[in-house]
Amino acid sequence: DDDDDDDEEEEAAGARGACMSKEDWLAREEAEPHPGLSPADAEQELPYLQMINALLPPTIRAIAWCPVVPHFNARFACSMRSYKYFFVRADMNIEGMRAAAKLLEGSHDFRNFCKIDSSKPNLTFTRHIISFDIIPVVEQETESRYSVWSMDIKATAFLWHQVRAMAAILFAVGRGELEENFVSYMLDISRCPQKPHYNIASEEPLLLYHCHFPRDLVCFVPPLASHVRNEQVLDAICSQLVCRSALADAMRTSLCSRLVRLGASSETQRRATGKGEEEANGAMVMYEEVDRERRAPHLQGSKQGVHISHAESKTSGVDNVKRIE
């Protein structure tokens, strides 16, 4: 899922009526009784989840539904949204990324951390991030360069591509290309009135993890049969990806063994494995470095790169800002 663009006044007016504020809409929602659904009534309903999921790709699943009042609006009734952005640790400085992530918490003007839609001149850029944590997916594998980590972000609302923009800057901090305090500089519009040029992070590892609704407005009905089917679909996806990971790992191990047989230096082995002469599990690192040099002229458009021009760094007044490819 991609991060969305919430709370625009133009869309809000179209969704809830031009004469109704969000506060008025919430007041009307609270005044109307919630149309509760008994188990017996639920059995008489159409198989909504089965019908919806049949039209969706396997990686997008509808898992529950509920009856609502006639004027219910899922966008404005949502009190909090949670996103996860997954990434592989590699050689990134996790503690530096965590420190930079904490600077994003609270209410800020995030115009430098989003994609700006010129067709919405009245858009406000202030958003409130409740929490921004960077945690390992598997606690026991934190030291491995191939350990999977997650950026867990909770906020009341997000701007267009805000999560992917924040992830791109944090990756630059993790690689040592930006200082942690550059985040504070980008949040200070008086010092950084123009968005630096950089490419946002890929959309593939991004997950809209949870939408929070008040329990008195939303009471989901999760049919057991649908849960079982969704679990089967997701289990098949997991199995397929695990097999693909095993294939890549076997190839990586084979390449590292070749490095050892060819008499690579201990430093080369250490860089390839991350563990000196221990099990060879990182040869793809060396392969990627050689391949990166070979393809250097073609890497200027890489999504993961963050490019800040020298002229911008000189006029910004921020030290230690350098050109990042």
Side-chain angles (χ1 to χ4, degrees):
D1 294 296
D2 197 0
D3 40 316
D4 59 355
D5 186 2
D6 303 295
D7 295 348
E8 288 79 358
E9 292 304 319
E10 298 83 0
E11 294 189 17
R16 62 178 180 260
C19 298
M20 182 178 293
S21 67
K22 183 175 181 179
E23 290 72 22
D24 292 338
W25 176 85
L26 289 173
R28 183 169 68 174
E29 287 292 291
E30 294 174 356
E32 294 189 34
H34 185 275
L37 193 70
S38 68
D41 292 335
E43 293 181 358
Q44 303 301 317
E45 293 286 347
L46 294 173
Y48 299 118
L49 299 183
Q50 180 180 345
M51 296 164 64
I52 294 173
N53 286 329
L55 302 175
L56 293 173
T59 52
I60 303 177
R61 298 283 89 192
I63 60 175
W65 69 277
C66 76
V68 295
V69 294
H71 302 290
F72 177 80
N73 186 297
R75 189 174 202 176
F76 302 118
C78 183
S79 58
M80 182 173 67
R81 296 160 175 82
S82 299
Y83 276 95
K84 287 180 177 288
Y85 194 98
F86 297 94
F87 65 97
V88 176
R89 176 175 181 171
D91 294 321
M92 285 188 285
N93 177 6
I94 296 296
E95 293 307 316
M97 294 175 64
R98 282 174 166 167
K102 289 303 176 183
L103 297 175
L104 294 166
E105 293 183 346
S107 296
H108 303 282
D109 187 319
F110 285 99
R111 71 184 65 197
N112 291 329
F113 290 90
C114 69
K115 183 176 181 180
I116 297 177
D117 189 345
S118 59
S119 67
K120 299 175 181 177
N122 298 323
L123 175 66
T124 58
F125 297 98
T126 300
R127 296 293 185 270
H128 181 76
I129 293 185
I130 299 170
S131 64
F132 199 135
D133 299 308
I134 300 179
I135 60 175
V137 174
V138 180
E139 190 67 35
Q140 292 76 15
E141 299 179 359
T142 58
E143 299 303 320
S144 171
R145 62 174 286 107
Y146 299 103
S147 59
V148 180
W149 292 67
S150 170
M151 299 182 190
D152 288 11
I153 311 110
K154 294 181 180 179
T156 53
F158 290 91
L159 293 165
W160 191 16
H161 293 337
Q162 181 180 343
V163 174
R164 293 168 60 188
M166 294 188 297
I169 297 300
L170 292 187
F171 286 148
V173 172
R175 293 190 296 265
E177 298 165 353
L178 289 177
E179 299 291 337
E180 298 166 12
N181 59 6
F182 193 75
V183 171
S184 297
Y185 165 70
M186 290 181 65
L187 291 173
D188 189 344
I189 305 304
S190 63
R191 298 169 60 206
C192 185
Q194 185 175 2
K195 178 184 176 183
H197 175 71
Y198 63 92
N199 295 315
I200 63 176
S202 171
E203 73 280 3
E204 292 184 2
L206 179 63
L207 173 65
L208 175 57
Y209 185 69
H210 191 61
C211 293
H212 305 258
F213 294 96
R215 290 186 177 274
D216 57 339
L217 291 181
V218 175
C219 183
F220 286 108
V221 179
L224 178 60
S226 177
H227 266 17
V228 172
R229 175 55 183 162
N230 282 335
E231 182 181 4
Q232 293 172 343
V233 172
L234 295 175
D235 184 68
I237 294 175
C238 288
S239 298
Q240 182 183 38
L241 294 178
V242 167
C243 289
R244 292 178 64 182
S245 176
L247 288 171
D249 184 70
M251 183 177 181
R252 185 181 66 204
T253 302
S254 175
L255 288 173
C256 193
S257 298
R258 288 172 179 245
L259 284 176
V260 175
R261 290 199 302 270
L262 291 173
S265 66
S266 58
E267 175 61 19
T268 300
Q269 294 181 38
R270 186 196 66 77
R271 293 174 62 196
T273 65
K275 298 181 179 180
E277 297 179 356
E278 296 181 14
E279 180 180 0
N281 65 349
M284 284 301 292
V285 179
M286 297 300 299
Y287 174 82
E288 289 171 357
E289 289 183 358
V290 174
D291 190 56
R292 187 182 300 114
E293 293 178 0
R294 180 177 60 82
R295 297 184 297 109
H298 307 289
L299 293 178
Q300 300 303 318
S302 172
K303 276 191 174 182
Q304 300 300 328
V306 178
H307 173 85
I308 299 177
S309 69
H310 183 62
E312 289 168 345
S313 65
K314 290 177 65 177
T315 58
S316 68
V318 177
D319 296 332
N320 299 323
V321 179
K322 55 187 178 181
R323 183 183 180 92
I324 300 166
E325 303 297 345

